[in-house]
Amino acid sequence: MRVFENLGDGSFSDVTGSSGLADIVRENNIGMTFGDYDDDADLDLFIGHWTFTENELPEGSTQHLWRNNGDGTFSDVSDAALISENVLETPIDYTFSPTFADIDNDGDPDLLVVADNTTSQVLINDGDLGGGLYTFSYATNRDVISDDAGMGSSVADFDNDGDLDWFVTSISLGDSTTARPTEEENAGFNLTGNRFYRNEGNGVFTDQTDSAGVRKGYWGWGSCAADFNNDGFLDIFHVNGMDEPNTNAYLEDPSRLFVNNGDGSFTEYSEPLGLVDTKSGRGVTCFDGDKDGDIDILIANNHDTATLFRNDGGNQLNYLNVELRNEAPNTRAVGARIYVSAVGATQLREIHNGNNYVSQNPVEQHFGLSDASQADSVRIVWPDGSETSRNNIASSQRIMVTHPDSWSTD
């Protein structure tokens, strides 16, 4: 673990030793997410470890949740916040990809933690209990949260109903002409593929994997939610493959693009669009790299070069890019929500500093507007709870909103 302070002149200083994070003794620090779980305006840290060996941990702490002290240092509060009590269902830590996200719409960030070996978790933020105490409650329904090899994560409002759903990549057997190991050869794990958990409101999920049509995704890793065709519904992209010994059957697993049909279902559409990457993908970032109004894809491949896919058709429909600037210390407005209404629907984006799997998207938010010439309204709920809104915003432009109410175009 390393912490580098931005000095503001294009250079960085290694401040790991004074940050408090040098005390981490867990191995394999895989993924992390930042969010203000204790409502003090600075960003706290959750770390996924995926540690197969047991360590001598201080006072039994799992070293997952680190509170930002506001002075450039972090303190391990995994015990005090009940993370140590709730996050591990086995003596071994399998956590991969965490995300701070407000899944119950109560204004504070909860935790969704994708983890291996059927240990993904839903943890609800209990809010301010007084005396500076903030805790998380275990809310994982094992009859629903059943991904058996969870790796990548996308938390977003896929059905435009005003709450955050959850897509988890995993490993599926029998979804290709390539010979797959049997269940017995995979040490008895079911390996039944990706999961799509629909938020029914208040943070209660139901498993809609099969009706969504996203189960078969090979050996999945990083994923992202993005509207690649600007039709107003978020699609899903994820990378695949495994190039470690004894896994040659997964060596050339192609990437997957699930296009949102707008009715709760998705159609896999990577090959017709030329979006097939057969390298051993791990991380992925989805963003408008060339600023032409559609979402491009950058893939980090294991033991290989990165791959950049440029989107050359998504901007046939209209869009709106929104970027926020907040007061320090949370200058990128992590935790804010943006609501864009157009063509009879309202889209929600919540700004995450999260984890696709060893990767993340930029905090700027892209909205597909279909053929609408304008957004009827843009409403921003800032991390401090204040709101900013404007009506009749012309489409196909990039706007920046600075707290509390300064709007500019790029």
PDB file of all heavy atoms in Angstrom, residues 10 26 46 52 54 86 142 176-177 206 208 352 356 370 374 391:
ATOM      1  N   GLY A  10       2.395  19.177 -10.327  1.00  0.00           N
ATOM      2  CA  GLY A  10       2.683  18.062 -11.227  1.00  0.00           C
ATOM      3  C   GLY A  10       3.531  16.985 -10.596  1.00  0.00           C
ATOM      4  O   GLY A  10       3.872  16.005 -11.275  1.00  0.00           O
ATOM      5  N   ARG A  26      -2.417  -6.899   6.232  1.00  0.00           N
ATOM      6  CA  ARG A  26      -3.100  -7.809   5.319  1.00  0.00           C
ATOM      7  C   ARG A  26      -2.331  -7.928   4.005  1.00  0.00           C
ATOM      8  O   ARG A  26      -1.746  -6.953   3.523  1.00  0.00           O
ATOM      9  CB  ARG A  26      -4.505  -7.301   5.015  1.00  0.00           C
ATOM     10  CG  ARG A  26      -5.543  -7.601   6.067  1.00  0.00           C
ATOM     11  CD  ARG A  26      -5.881  -9.078   6.114  1.00  0.00           C
ATOM     12  NE  ARG A  26      -7.109  -9.309   6.856  1.00  0.00           N
ATOM     13  CZ  ARG A  26      -7.542 -10.502   7.209  1.00  0.00           C
ATOM     14  NH1 ARG A  26      -6.840 -11.568   6.902  1.00  0.00           N
ATOM     15  NH2 ARG A  26      -8.661 -10.644   7.873  1.00  0.00           N
ATOM     16  N   PHE A  46     -12.350   2.118   2.242  1.00  0.00           N
ATOM     17  CA  PHE A  46     -12.573   0.687   2.468  1.00  0.00           C
ATOM     18  C   PHE A  46     -11.668  -0.084   1.518  1.00  0.00           C
ATOM     19  O   PHE A  46     -11.587   0.233   0.329  1.00  0.00           O
ATOM     20  CB  PHE A  46     -14.033   0.298   2.226  1.00  0.00           C
ATOM     21  CG  PHE A  46     -14.342  -1.139   2.568  1.00  0.00           C
ATOM     22  CD1 PHE A  46     -14.914  -1.454   3.800  1.00  0.00           C
ATOM     23  CD2 PHE A  46     -14.062  -2.172   1.692  1.00  0.00           C
ATOM     24  CE1 PHE A  46     -15.202  -2.768   4.133  1.00  0.00           C
ATOM     25  CE2 PHE A  46     -14.335  -3.495   2.018  1.00  0.00           C
ATOM     26  CZ  PHE A  46     -14.913  -3.792   3.240  1.00  0.00           C
ATOM     27  N   PHE A  52      -5.481 -15.130   1.397  1.00  0.00           N
ATOM     28  CA  PHE A  52      -5.645 -16.545   1.690  1.00  0.00           C
ATOM     29  C   PHE A  52      -4.859 -16.991   2.913  1.00  0.00           C
ATOM     30  O   PHE A  52      -4.998 -18.110   3.357  1.00  0.00           O
ATOM     31  CB  PHE A  52      -5.231 -17.397   0.491  1.00  0.00           C
ATOM     32  CG  PHE A  52      -6.356 -17.609  -0.482  1.00  0.00           C
ATOM     33  CD1 PHE A  52      -6.340 -17.008  -1.719  1.00  0.00           C
ATOM     34  CD2 PHE A  52      -7.450 -18.383  -0.146  1.00  0.00           C
ATOM     35  CE1 PHE A  52      -7.378 -17.197  -2.616  1.00  0.00           C
ATOM     36  CE2 PHE A  52      -8.498 -18.573  -1.027  1.00  0.00           C
ATOM     37  CZ  PHE A  52      -8.457 -17.986  -2.267  1.00  0.00           C
ATOM     38  N   GLU A  54      -3.805 -16.200   6.986  1.00  0.00           N
ATOM     39  CA  GLU A  54      -4.240 -15.466   8.160  1.00  0.00           C
ATOM     40  C   GLU A  54      -3.064 -14.701   8.742  1.00  0.00           C
ATOM     41  O   GLU A  54      -1.965 -15.212   8.876  1.00  0.00           O
ATOM     42  CB  GLU A  54      -4.821 -16.422   9.194  1.00  0.00           C
ATOM     43  CG  GLU A  54      -6.088 -17.128   8.703  1.00  0.00           C
ATOM     44  CD  GLU A  54      -6.764 -17.903   9.806  1.00  0.00           C
ATOM     45  OE1 GLU A  54      -6.945 -17.338  10.893  1.00  0.00           O
ATOM     46  OE2 GLU A  54      -7.103 -19.073   9.582  1.00  0.00           O
ATOM     47  N   ASN A  86     -19.010  -8.138  10.698  1.00  0.00           N
ATOM     48  CA  ASN A  86     -19.971  -8.459   9.652  1.00  0.00           C
ATOM     49  C   ASN A  86     -19.395  -8.921   8.323  1.00  0.00           C
ATOM     50  O   ASN A  86     -20.037  -9.656   7.586  1.00  0.00           O
ATOM     51  CB  ASN A  86     -20.856  -7.232   9.382  1.00  0.00           C
ATOM     52  CG  ASN A  86     -21.808  -6.943  10.516  1.00  0.00           C
ATOM     53  OD1 ASN A  86     -22.346  -7.855  11.116  1.00  0.00           O
ATOM     54  ND2 ASN A  86     -22.007  -5.673  10.817  1.00  0.00           N
ATOM     55  N   ARG A 142     -28.590 -14.341   1.846  1.00  0.00           N
ATOM     56  CA  ARG A 142     -27.864 -15.371   1.101  1.00  0.00           C
ATOM     57  C   ARG A 142     -28.747 -16.114   0.106  1.00  0.00           C
ATOM     58  O   ARG A 142     -28.233 -16.757  -0.815  1.00  0.00           O
ATOM     59  CB  ARG A 142     -27.219 -16.374   2.069  1.00  0.00           C
ATOM     60  CG  ARG A 142     -25.844 -16.005   2.495  1.00  0.00           C
ATOM     61  CD  ARG A 142     -24.825 -16.103   1.341  1.00  0.00           C
ATOM     62  NE  ARG A 142     -23.669 -15.291   1.709  1.00  0.00           N
ATOM     63  CZ  ARG A 142     -23.254 -14.222   1.081  1.00  0.00           C
ATOM     64  NH1 ARG A 142     -23.869 -13.809  -0.004  1.00  0.00           N
ATOM     65  NH2 ARG A 142     -22.221 -13.541   1.499  1.00  0.00           N
ATOM     66  N   SER A 176     -19.678 -21.818 -23.578  1.00  0.00           N
ATOM     67  CA  SER A 176     -18.856 -21.647 -24.761  1.00  0.00           C
ATOM     68  C   SER A 176     -18.598 -23.001 -25.397  1.00  0.00           C
ATOM     69  O   SER A 176     -18.761 -24.048 -24.771  1.00  0.00           O
ATOM     70  CB  SER A 176     -17.518 -20.994 -24.372  1.00  0.00           C
ATOM     71  OG  SER A 176     -16.615 -21.017 -25.446  1.00  0.00           O
ATOM     72  N   THR A 177     -18.202 -22.972 -26.672  1.00  0.00           N
ATOM     73  CA  THR A 177     -17.812 -24.217 -27.312  1.00  0.00           C
ATOM     74  C   THR A 177     -16.470 -24.711 -26.789  1.00  0.00           C
ATOM     75  O   THR A 177     -16.114 -25.869 -26.974  1.00  0.00           O
ATOM     76  CB  THR A 177     -17.709 -24.020 -28.837  1.00  0.00           C
ATOM     77  OG1 THR A 177     -16.798 -22.942 -29.107  1.00  0.00           O
ATOM     78  CG2 THR A 177     -19.064 -23.672 -29.421  1.00  0.00           C
ATOM     79  N   THR A 206     -33.414  -8.264  -5.325  1.00  0.00           N
ATOM     80  CA  THR A 206     -33.882  -9.554  -5.821  1.00  0.00           C
ATOM     81  C   THR A 206     -32.973  -9.980  -6.961  1.00  0.00           C
ATOM     82  O   THR A 206     -32.422  -9.140  -7.675  1.00  0.00           O
ATOM     83  CB  THR A 206     -35.337  -9.492  -6.325  1.00  0.00           C
ATOM     84  OG1 THR A 206     -35.435  -8.509  -7.366  1.00  0.00           O
ATOM     85  CG2 THR A 206     -36.278  -9.136  -5.184  1.00  0.00           C
ATOM     86  N   GLN A 208     -32.358 -11.020 -10.420  1.00  0.00           N
ATOM     87  CA  GLN A 208     -33.023 -10.972 -11.724  1.00  0.00           C
ATOM     88  C   GLN A 208     -32.066 -11.395 -12.837  1.00  0.00           C
ATOM     89  O   GLN A 208     -32.222 -10.977 -13.985  1.00  0.00           O
ATOM     90  CB  GLN A 208     -33.549  -9.561 -11.983  1.00  0.00           C
ATOM     91  CG  GLN A 208     -34.534  -9.059 -10.947  1.00  0.00           C
ATOM     92  CD  GLN A 208     -35.839  -9.823 -10.982  1.00  0.00           C
ATOM     93  OE1 GLN A 208     -36.322 -10.185 -12.062  1.00  0.00           O
ATOM     94  NE2 GLN A 208     -36.407 -10.099  -9.818  1.00  0.00           N
ATOM     95  N   HIS A 352     -19.352   7.832  -7.650  1.00  0.00           N
ATOM     96  CA  HIS A 352     -18.614   6.877  -6.837  1.00  0.00           C
ATOM     97  C   HIS A 352     -17.117   7.023  -7.070  1.00  0.00           C
ATOM     98  O   HIS A 352     -16.680   7.281  -8.193  1.00  0.00           O
ATOM     99  CB  HIS A 352     -19.007   5.438  -7.192  1.00  0.00           C
ATOM    100  CG  HIS A 352     -20.446   5.129  -6.948  1.00  0.00           C
ATOM    101  ND1 HIS A 352     -21.155   4.229  -7.711  1.00  0.00           N
ATOM    102  CD2 HIS A 352     -21.317   5.605  -6.025  1.00  0.00           C
ATOM    103  CE1 HIS A 352     -22.398   4.150  -7.269  1.00  0.00           C
ATOM    104  NE2 HIS A 352     -22.522   4.993  -6.247  1.00  0.00           N
ATOM    105  N   ASN A 356     -14.272  -0.986 -10.139  1.00  0.00           N
ATOM    106  CA  ASN A 356     -14.777  -1.897 -11.171  1.00  0.00           C
ATOM    107  C   ASN A 356     -14.154  -3.282 -11.029  1.00  0.00           C
ATOM    108  O   ASN A 356     -14.721  -4.276 -11.423  1.00  0.00           O
ATOM    109  CB  ASN A 356     -14.442  -1.362 -12.566  1.00  0.00           C
ATOM    110  CG  ASN A 356     -15.064  -0.007 -12.839  1.00  0.00           C
ATOM    111  OD1 ASN A 356     -15.937   0.444 -12.108  1.00  0.00           O
ATOM    112  ND2 ASN A 356     -14.609   0.654 -13.883  1.00  0.00           N
ATOM    113  N   SER A 370     -31.148  10.042 -26.079  1.00  0.00           N
ATOM    114  CA  SER A 370     -31.885   9.578 -27.246  1.00  0.00           C
ATOM    115  C   SER A 370     -31.985  10.714 -28.270  1.00  0.00           C
ATOM    116  O   SER A 370     -30.988  11.349 -28.586  1.00  0.00           O
ATOM    117  CB  SER A 370     -33.263   9.046 -26.833  1.00  0.00           C
ATOM    118  OG  SER A 370     -33.913   8.434 -27.918  1.00  0.00           O
ATOM    119  N   GLN A 374     -33.067  18.557 -25.708  1.00  0.00           N
ATOM    120  CA  GLN A 374     -32.688  19.165 -24.454  1.00  0.00           C
ATOM    121  C   GLN A 374     -33.066  18.245 -23.301  1.00  0.00           C
ATOM    122  O   GLN A 374     -33.909  17.346 -23.437  1.00  0.00           O
ATOM    123  CB  GLN A 374     -33.377  20.516 -24.260  1.00  0.00           C
ATOM    124  CG  GLN A 374     -34.889  20.417 -24.111  1.00  0.00           C
ATOM    125  CD  GLN A 374     -35.539  21.763 -23.880  1.00  0.00           C
ATOM    126  OE1 GLN A 374     -34.991  22.802 -24.213  1.00  0.00           O
ATOM    127  NE2 GLN A 374     -36.723  21.767 -23.280  1.00  0.00           N
ATOM    128  N   ASN A 391     -33.461  24.082 -15.591  1.00  0.00           N
ATOM    129  CA  ASN A 391     -34.375  23.511 -16.566  1.00  0.00           C
ATOM    130  C   ASN A 391     -33.926  23.829 -17.985  1.00  0.00           C
ATOM    131  O   ASN A 391     -33.194  24.793 -18.227  1.00  0.00           O
ATOM    132  CB  ASN A 391     -35.792  24.048 -16.357  1.00  0.00           C
ATOM    133  CG  ASN A 391     -36.376  23.646 -15.019  1.00  0.00           C
ATOM    134  OD1 ASN A 391     -36.077  22.565 -14.507  1.00  0.00           O
ATOM    135  ND2 ASN A 391     -37.214  24.508 -14.450  1.00  0.00           N
TER     136      ASN A 391
END
